[in-house]
């Protein structure tokens, strides 16, 4: 832990302020923003690629003659002759007009999986979507490898990311604190943060990379074991999509938590590394 200043800036009538510490190292900050930007482009271009065939399957086969679809997005004409967007998940159909299957202006609707605002490019263009997706995929892989290797070497994974037994025991209290939006600003991640970050960094990131590689014909030739590991290219595509959906869910909660915990202090820490802890935080709690 590096203390950047002492609590000598107290003035009469103002609340006591805690110390400024160095919370995030330079590798954590640089890789965080690289993957945040890369994931934005990967998400939108990925949905463009998905729209070329807006269905997901389990197994090796896909097509009309097989009965292994887990998700299908499309449009049908209702009994009244009016078209509507329909999403079928595990055999159960939902009307999703306006968002999935059919979207855009009512007088000139567009029949596509995800709507124009959720894809890059906004119009249907598979080849441009693939170029964007593969370009940012390599940035994402590079950022992840830099984070993983530097965090192994500097102890970030062991010290800050992997939950300890004490974190597991303190989980109910940590959960109750979060539900009441009560945050402790010390140098450490709390147990819930560790579980969420470990889930993203050590489970979802490797899984989304490996399932992406499994869909590549070049990789199938080089590493055929990937197809066996994930049970075929269609299952890999479905898992890739599920990882994406979980990352979107994480992102929504992540942003909400940053805002709830004090956005200026949180943003300063992930940009400059400097983080103001609560006054009178015990010395052992100030280490990150
Ligand atoms: C897809 C996008 C994003 C992902 C996957 C992501 C993921 C993560 C992860 C895994 C960490 C922990 C990093 C580590 O300790 O090594 C982290 C920290 C953090 N992220 Fe993000 N992030 C994303 C976008 C953002 C955005 C857009 C913001 C700001 C608006 C943000 C703000 C922060 C802050 C403030 C921290 C530090 C939290 C703390 O010190 O308590 N993140 N993020």
């Amino acid at each position: 832990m590096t203390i950047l200043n002492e609590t000598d800036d107290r003035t009469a009538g103002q609340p006591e302020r805690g110390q400024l510490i160095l919370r995030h190292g330079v590798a954590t900050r640089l890789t965080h923003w690289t993957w945040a930007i890369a994931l934005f482009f990967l998400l939108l271009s990925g949905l463009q690629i998905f729209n070329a065939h807006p269905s997901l399957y389990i197994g090796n086969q896909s097509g009309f003659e097989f009965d292994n679809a887990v998700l299908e997005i499309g449009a049908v004409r209702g009994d009244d002759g009016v078209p509507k967007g329909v999403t079928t998940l595990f055999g159960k159909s939902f009307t999703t007009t306006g968002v999935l299957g059919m979207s855009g202006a009512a007088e000139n609707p567009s029949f596509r999986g995800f709507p124009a605002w959720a894809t890059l490019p906004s119009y249907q263009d598979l080849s441009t979507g693939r170029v964007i997706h593969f370009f940012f995929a390599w940035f994402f892989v590079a950022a992840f490898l830099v984070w993983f290797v530097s965090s192994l070497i500097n102890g970030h994974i062991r010290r800050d990311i992997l939950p300890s037994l004490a974190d597991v025991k303190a989980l109910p209290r940590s959960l109750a604190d979060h539900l009441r939006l009560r945050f402790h600003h010390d140098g450490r991640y709390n147990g819930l943060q560790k579980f969420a970050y470990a889930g993203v960094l050590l489970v979802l990131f490797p899984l989304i990379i490996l399932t992406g590689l499994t869909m590549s014909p070049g990789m199938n030739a080089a590493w055929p074991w990937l197809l066996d590991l994930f049970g075929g290219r269609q299952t890999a595509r479905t898992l890739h999509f599920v990882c994406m959906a979980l990352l979107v869910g994480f992102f929504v909660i992540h942003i909400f938590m940053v805002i709830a915990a004090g956005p200026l202090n949180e943003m300063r820490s992930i940009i400059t590394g400097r983080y103001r802890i609560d006054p009178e935080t015990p010395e052992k709690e100030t280490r990150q």
Side-chain angles (χ1 to χ4, degrees):
M1 183 245 340
T2 311
I3 295 174
L4 298 168
N5 72 350
E6 295 294 335
T7 43
D8 55 1
D9 51 355
R10 235 184 298 164
T11 46
Q14 286 195 343
E16 186 185 351
R17 299 176 85 194
Q19 294 162 338
L20 262 189
I21 63 162
L22 188 63
R23 182 167 164 93
H24 300 294
V26 70
T28 302
R29 288 180 270 137
L30 276 180
T31 53
H32 177 272
W33 290 112
T34 307
W35 69 53
I37 293 168
L39 281 171
F40 170 78
F41 286 99
L42 283 168
L43 171 66
L44 300 189
S45 57
L47 295 181
Q48 165 73 240
I49 299 170
F50 173 86
N51 270 0
H53 185 87
S55 300
L56 294 173
Y57 308 86
I58 295 288
N60 260 318
Q61 286 114 353
S62 62
F64 294 120
E65 65 273 43
F66 301 107
D67 183 24
N68 57 347
V70 286
L71 173 76
E72 290 174 290
I73 302 178
V76 296
R77 208 169 278 283
D79 296 338
D80 50 5
V82 179
K84 58 179 183 173
V86 175
T87 300
T88 307
L89 185 65
F90 294 110
K92 194 150 178 45
S93 295
F94 307 89
T95 300
T96 49
T97 308
V99 191
L100 301 176
M102 179 179 155
S103 46
E107 61 280 5
N108 183 22
S110 153
F111 297 100
R112 45 188 289 161
F114 282 88
W117 55 261
T119 68
L120 195 68
S122 57
Y123 49 89
Q124 200 68 44
D125 180 355
L126 174 61
S127 51
T128 306
R130 285 168 59 106
V131 169
I132 297 171
H133 202 71
F134 300 146
F135 177 77
F136 283 100
W138 289 117
F139 271 98
F140 177 66
V141 171
F144 175 70
L145 288 179
V146 169
W147 177 87
F148 188 73
V149 173
S150 63
S151 301
L152 270 185
I153 293 170
N154 66 23
H156 180 52
I157 292 184
R158 178 183 41 80
R159 200 180 49 238
D160 312 317
I161 301 293
L162 289 177
S164 64
L165 199 61
D167 290 320
V168 176
K169 283 188 188 149
L171 214 51
R173 208 198 68 203
S174 184
L175 194 63
D177 281 349
H178 274 79
L179 289 174
R180 276 180 262 154
L181 297 183
R182 194 179 289 166
F183 298 97
H184 305 285
H185 301 96
D186 51 44
R188 293 159 174 270
Y189 290 150
N190 57 59
L192 267 190
Q193 263 180 309
K194 284 188 182 182
F195 274 103
Y197 294 159
V200 166
L201 292 161
L202 302 176
V203 180
L204 290 182
F205 280 7
L207 204 55
I208 207 165
I209 292 170
L210 287 177
T211 49
L213 291 175
T214 308
M215 285 184 273
S216 147
M219 287 308 296
N220 295 161
W223 291 356
W225 53 267
L226 277 176
L227 282 171
D228 299 329
L229 181 68
F230 292 112
R233 202 181 288 179
Q234 292 304 327
T235 311
R237 183 171 178 252
T238 300
L239 285 172
H240 198 70
F241 189 92
V242 169
C243 289
M244 174 279 293
L246 290 173
L247 282 174
V248 170
F250 164 83
F251 176 75
V252 173
I253 298 172
H254 188 53
I255 298 303
F256 178 78
M257 287 300 165
V258 168
I259 294 169
L264 292 182
N265 200 21
E266 295 287 327
M267 288 303 286
R268 174 174 54 194
S269 81
I270 201 68
I271 294 172
T272 70
R274 292 147 65 96
Y275 185 77
R276 195 173 293 284
I277 54 173
D278 290 334
E280 281 145 39
T281 302
E283 177 69 13
K284 68 175 174 54
E285 303 286 312
T286 57
R287 279 211 14 256
Q288 174 66 28

